[in-house]
């Protein structure tokens, strides 16, 4: 069975996220997973809605979210991150389609981002692929 997934990428840190998208594409290609579509959204907060829209397509078996939620001066990022994570988990359970979580943070500091770009992208695709194989 050919597996087809979508990538939802937050454009707030676009240059970093483009690196993650490239890595996710490369890992998917190596595993024989088709990236049906890459959709850019403003940030992590918009990801659950876009995933829900994509999951209306029968052709999409799963998805990967790629983004960064930095540590700010207030609790905004932490609270938003928790809400996004919960929404994505709820979408997985409602749709029975896996979502690979490639969001760095919440609470990421600038010095933590660069080293996490490739591993987070890779691991999110690996997770979706494994869940689609079960």
């Amino acid at each position: 069975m050919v597996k087809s997934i979508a990538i939802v990428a937050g454009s707030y840190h676009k240059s970093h996220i483009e690196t993650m998208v490239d890595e996710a594409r490369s890992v998917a290609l190596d595993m024989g997973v088709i990236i049906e579509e890459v959709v850019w959204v403003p940030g992590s907060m918009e990801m659950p809605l876009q995933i829900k829209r994509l999951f209306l397509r029968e052709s999409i078996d799963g998805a990967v979210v790629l983004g960064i939620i930095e540590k700010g001066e207030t609790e905004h990022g932490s609270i938003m991150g928790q809400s996004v994570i919960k929404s994505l988990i709820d979408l997985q359970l409602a749709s029975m389609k896996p979502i690979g979580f490639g969001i760095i943070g919440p609470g990421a500091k600038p010095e933590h981002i660069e080293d996490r770009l490739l591993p987070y992208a890779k691991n999110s695709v690996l997770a979706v692929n494994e869940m689609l194989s079960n």
Side-chain angles (χ1 to χ4, degrees):
M1 173 186 125
V2 177
K3 301 166 203 167
S4 180
I5 65 171
I7 296 174
V8 176
S11 63
Y12 191 74
H13 296 90
K14 192 157 189 175
S15 64
H16 287 309
I17 306 306
E18 286 173 335
T19 300
M20 295 179 84
V21 169
D22 290 344
E23 177 70 1
R25 284 183 189 276
S26 175
V27 171
L29 180 64
D30 289 347
M31 294 185 308
V33 174
I34 295 169
I35 304 292
E36 184 170 317
E37 186 167 355
V38 176
V39 179
W40 289 89
V41 296
S44 297
M45 191 70 171
E46 293 76 25
M47 290 179 178
L49 175 58
Q50 188 59 52
I51 293 285
K52 187 169 185 173
R53 289 174 176 167
L54 289 164
F55 279 0
L56 294 174
R57 295 188 205 166
E58 287 185 34
S59 61
I60 294 181
D61 301 309
V64 167
V65 292
L66 303 174
I68 300 168
I69 302 174
E70 285 188 273
K71 179 171 180 54
E73 294 178 14
T74 68
E75 294 299 312
H76 170 78
S78 179
I79 292 167
M80 182 194 55
Q82 291 173 15
S83 298
V84 168
I85 292 166
K86 181 180 181 336
S87 295
L88 293 171
I89 291 169
D90 290 347
L91 281 168
Q92 286 185 107
L93 296 173
S95 67
M96 297 302 291
K97 295 183 179 188
I99 300 170
F101 190 78
I103 297 175
I104 299 169
K109 295 181 180 178
E111 62 268 22
H112 300 144
I113 293 171
E114 196 70 36
D115 290 342
R116 288 172 170 78
L117 296 173
L118 300 181
Y120 274 57
K122 176 181 179 179
N123 291 334
S124 62
V125 176
L126 291 175
V128 167
N129 185 55
E130 184 172 336
M131 291 304 295
L132 289 172
S133 299
N134 290 337

